[in-house]
Amino acid sequence: MANLETSLKECLSSIDGASAAALVDYTSGMALGTLGGGKEFNLEVAAAGNTDVVRAKLRTMELLGLKEEIEDILITLNSQYHMIRLLKGRGGNGLFLYLVLDASRANLAMARHQLRRIESELEV
Amino acid sequence: MAVESDVLDELHRIRNRVPQLTGSLAATVDGLVLAHDAPGTEPEGLAALTAAALGVAHRTAEATARGGFRELLLRGADGYVATYAAGPAAVLTLLADGRVNVGRLHLEGRRSGARIGELVADRIGQGRGRAPAAEHVTSPAAGARPIDTLPVRTPQRPAHRPSPQAGAHRRPT
C-alpha cells in the first residue's frame, strides 16, 4: 500500500513520458494532490476541467441505462496523452488519478498498465 | 455609471461559465450592492450579510496571521456560498447548488473577483487619484480603516445602509 505522495511520485518516475499527475476529487473538482505541471500546465485548472469530463461520462452512462463503471478514460492530443483512472474501493470513491504523458516518449499500453498498478496500491 | 454595467457584464459572464451558479452579487466591503444577478434573493440583505461575514473573516485572519482576505466558502446541505476578494474595496459573492464543481467555482470566482477589483479600482483611481492597491496589504499600519474611508458608491436601488453591519468590520485599533 502506498500513500498519495508516493503514488504521484511513482507515476512520474516509473511511467515513461509522464510529466504531471494529480489525484482529484470529482465530487468537488479539487485536487487532493498534484505533482509536476508548473506554470505552463496548471493542474488546478486540469483538475476542475477533467472533473466535468468524468461527470459528463457518468451522466451519459446513467442516461443510457448502463450499469457499468468507468475504469479509465484516454484523451489523445497532438503531442500529449491524458489519462484518467477512477479509483475503486478503499475510500477511493469519487476520486480519479490524472496523468499527462508526452506522446512521443510514452508507451500507451505500458502507461495504462502501470497506472492500473499504482491505482490498486494507492491508499487514500 | 459605467462601473455598474461593466461589473454586471462580468457577473453575466461568470454565470455562463459556471452552469450550476444560481446567483451572483458584487458588493463593496461595507455592504453596498454594486451589481447583482441573483433572482430569488434579496441583494441588499445578502450584501449586508456578506459584509458581516467579512468582518469576522478579517479579524480571524488577523488574529491567526493569515494575511489579507482572499475568499470564504460556506457549504450548506443544499449548496455553496462563496465570497472572493475583488480588490481592497469590493467582494464577489457567488451562490451555487450542491452539484457545483468547486474547483471550477474557485478558478472562475478568483478570476472574476480580480477583474471586478480592477474595474472598481479604475473608478476609485479616477475619483481619488490614489493607489487603492496599497490597502491590500493588511497590516498594523492600516490603523486608519481603509474600508470605511473608501468612497461610497450609489447603489442600484434606493440605499438603506444596513445598520447591524455598520461596525461589523471595525478592528480594534
Side-chain angles (χ1 to χ4, degrees):
Chain A
M1 288 294 129
N3 68 14
L4 171 57
E5 284 75 23
T6 319
S7 294
L8 290 180
K9 270 182 205 153
E10 205 179 341
C11 282
L12 295 199
S13 61
S14 70
I15 302 177
D16 282 343
S19 65
L23 182 69
V24 183
D25 174 3
Y26 63 81
T27 58
S28 73
M30 291 195 280
L32 304 188
T34 61
L35 193 64
K39 247 181 209 154
E40 71 286 353
F41 195 92
N42 185 337
L43 277 170
E44 306 282 310
V45 175
N50 284 285
T51 289
D52 289 338
V53 172
V54 171
R55 285 186 182 184
K57 187 63 204 173
L58 287 172
R59 177 149 169 69
T60 309
M61 286 163 44
E62 191 187 317
L63 291 172
L64 289 172
L66 296 176
K67 297 202 170 38
E68 300 262 347
E69 286 184 343
I70 302 174
E71 274 196 24
D72 54 21
I73 298 173
L74 170 68
I75 295 163
T76 310
L77 310 182
N78 292 337
S79 68
Q80 289 183 349
Y81 296 127
H82 292 181
M83 266 185 168
I84 293 167
R85 181 158 195 102
L86 276 75
L87 266 65
K88 284 188 293 234
R90 295 191 315 281
N93 262 343
L95 303 178
F96 66 83
L97 269 170
Y98 174 71
L99 186 66
V100 179
L101 297 160
D102 179 347
S104 62
R105 289 194 293 134
N107 176 330
L108 206 47
M110 196 54 161
R112 190 162 172 267
H113 177 73
Q114 299 271 39
L115 193 60
R116 177 189 294 154
R117 182 182 54 78
I118 292 167
E119 180 262 316
S120 68
E121 287 171 3
L122 171 60
E123 184 91 70
V124 185
Chain B
M1 296 305 284
V3 178
E4 282 85 352
S5 57
D6 286 348
V7 172
L8 192 59
D9 282 350
E10 186 60 38
L11 296 187
H12 289 316
R13 203 170 301 139
I14 192 171
R15 191 88 178 272
N16 287 331
R17 296 175 71 104
V18 188
Q20 291 87 3
L21 223 58
T22 56
S24 58
L25 167 92
T28 62
V29 286
D30 45 6
L32 294 173
V33 179
L34 276 172
H36 63 89
D37 176 22
T41 39
E42 199 206 327
E44 285 85 2
L46 182 58
L49 286 169
T50 301
L54 267 179
V56 177
H58 263 297
R59 293 184 58 172
T60 309
E62 207 164 81
T64 53
R66 297 296 105 140
F69 168 78
R70 290 283 174 81
E71 57 204 45
L72 272 174
L73 182 68
L74 166 75
R75 184 181 184 187
D78 299 322
Y80 296 86
V81 182
T83 299
Y84 302 90
V91 289
L92 168 68
T93 294
L94 302 176
L95 310 176
D97 68 34
R99 294 161 302 157
V100 75
N101 180 337
V102 186
R104 163 151 292 175
L105 187 72
H106 279 327
L107 294 171
E108 300 291 351
R110 288 167 193 158
R111 195 177 297 161
S112 266
R115 176 90 189 103
I116 291 169
E118 280 168 22
L119 293 171
V120 174
D122 285 351
R123 176 61 173 267
I124 293 172
Q126 285 164 19
R128 282 277 185 111
R130 66 185 172 112
E135 287 160 2
H136 216 57
V137 189
T138 317
S139 64
R145 298 181 311 278
I147 288 161
D148 285 45
T149 58
L150 286 167
V152 175
R153 311 202 51 280
T154 318
Q156 290 171 318
R157 293 205 190 161
H160 68 281
R161 193 183 160 115
S163 51
Q165 274 65 45
H169 48 246
R170 261 156 232 245
R171 296 177 212 136
T173 46

